[in-house]
Amino acid sequence: QVQLVESGGGLVQPGGSLRLSCAASGSISSINVMGWDRQAPGKQRESVAFITNVGGTHYADSVRGRFTISRNNVKNTLYLQMHSLKPENTAVYYCYVLTSELGYWGQGTQVTVSS
């Protein structure tokens, strides 16, 4: 099993920046992919970005160039650096990991972009 604890969400003004963190513990060696989803009020959950265990990355078109996903394998932590935030980025952001058998999601962290 894998346990995930997210942090770093909050309230930020449009154009601002935030960095989300996700600390993983448990069966770390079995992780293949780590990533972030988000769910805005009244909308379906969508993929934001993910990173593979060999460092390959993928971003949603709406965040490419503004968000950067990275991982620290020593600290077993996943990050999402977000710049030039927009009100439409307001959502609960969920960290997840995929192993060869199962997927695990964190409890979510709220990001609110508002003036």
Side-chain angles (χ1 to χ4, degrees):
Q1 291 217 347
V2 178
Q3 293 78 44
L4 302 170
V5 179
E6 298 127 328
S7 60
L11 173 64
V12 63
Q13 292 186 341
S17 299
L18 278 177
R19 188 177 80 157
L20 306 182
S21 300
C22 174
S25 60
S27 301
I28 304 299
S29 61
S30 66
I31 293 174
N32 292 328
V33 174
M34 301 184 76
W36 295 91
D37 287 342
R38 68 185 177 190
Q39 187 164 20
K43 295 187 177 181
Q44 290 188 332
R45 188 174 294 197
E46 62 178 354
S47 176
V48 177
F50 65 82
I51 184 168
T52 71
N53 57 359
V54 294
T57 58
H58 180 273
Y59 296 92
D61 289 342
S62 62
V63 307
R64 188 174 292 113
R66 297 187 298 118
F67 291 11
T68 302
I69 190 170
S70 62
R71 60 193 287 180
N72 183 319
N73 291 329
V74 174
K75 295 182 177 181
N76 296 320
T77 302
L78 179 71
Y79 302 99
L80 185 68
Q81 179 67 56
M82 305 184 291
H83 294 299
S84 302
L85 284 161
K86 305 175 181 180
E88 53 263 41
N89 299 141
T90 295
V92 178
Y93 285 70
Y94 299 90
C95 167
Y96 69 87
V97 302
L98 303 179
T99 71
S100 58
E101 296 180 345
L102 294 172
Y104 300 87
W105 273 259
Q107 80 286 355
T109 185
Q110 176 70 46
V111 172
T112 302
V113 185
S114 175
S115 55

